[in-house]
Amino acid sequence: MIIGIGTDILQMERLIAAYERTQGRLAERILGKEELVVFHQRLARNQKRGMAYLATRFAAKEAFSKAIGLGMRMPMTWRSLQTLNESSGKPVTYYSGALADFMLERNWHAEVTVSDEQDMAIAFVVVSHGTPIVTTHDPSNYIG
């Protein structure tokens, strides 16, 4: 059963400006531990791809917060949701802290997709009730 659907689209230029204005602290405020590692790796290889990663993760968090119906209020926090990639490249959600408890208590899970183009990033999330397709939500199982 579908609980909620969320989507978010953003202009990369605005996110890049905020990242530069905060001298990079924006990434540390938004990204979870494993996401931050991937971000720094991608940024070191190619600044454009690093910023696209930050933008898609920002969009995923916004879309997820809409899908669960809370917005950015507890238990939803920027770093309590991570969108990590399986080895196939499929993005998968990972929850921590109070958000993990919230999702488990309700038997909810989320499917997420993200995409980016030169100047835009988008995310789409569907939150459902029932057994998730992916049963393990251990961030060590995912790659950047």
Side-chain angles (χ1 to χ4, degrees):
M1 176 171 95
I2 293 176
I3 302 301
I5 298 171
T7 190
D8 192 64
I9 186 168
L10 68 117
Q11 292 179 318
M12 301 254 249
E13 184 179 300
R14 291 181 63 203
L15 186 76
I16 291 168
Y19 178 82
E20 290 172 352
R21 187 174 53 253
T22 63
Q23 299 175 334
R25 290 186 310 276
L26 179 68
E28 293 169 12
R29 195 179 119 226
I30 292 172
L31 300 176
K33 187 173 124 182
E34 289 80 12
E35 287 174 322
L36 198 56
V37 169
V38 175
F39 168 70
H40 286 302
Q41 290 170 346
R42 290 191 182 188
L43 191 65
R45 285 193 310 259
N46 181 305
Q47 183 166 355
K48 203 171 196 177
R49 293 308 308 148
M51 294 312 295
Y53 182 84
L54 178 60
T56 56
R57 275 38 192 186
F58 180 94
K61 292 164 193 287
E62 286 282 337
F64 179 87
S65 74
K66 294 169 186 174
I68 62 171
L70 294 177
M72 280 299 176
R73 295 185 325 207
M74 284 300 286
M76 177 60 190
T77 65
W78 288 110
R79 293 183 294 186
S80 64
L81 171 78
Q82 295 190 89
T83 301
L84 305 168
N85 294 82
E86 292 182 333
S87 59
S88 66
K90 177 186 177 185
V92 179
T93 56
Y94 168 73
Y95 328 104
S96 61
L99 181 60
D101 295 338
F102 176 86
M103 295 295 285
L104 185 62
E105 288 167 3
R106 287 159 180 75
N107 197 21
W108 288 2
H109 70 278
E111 296 294 330
V112 60
T113 187
V114 296
S115 188
D116 64 274
E117 198 45 59
Q118 288 185 8
D119 57 347
M120 304 293 282
I122 190 167
F124 186 78
V125 174
V126 176
V127 173
S128 300
H129 179 269
T131 305
I133 295 169
V134 177
T135 57
T136 177
H137 283 283
D138 178 356
S140 64
N141 292 335
Y142 303 101
I143 63 161

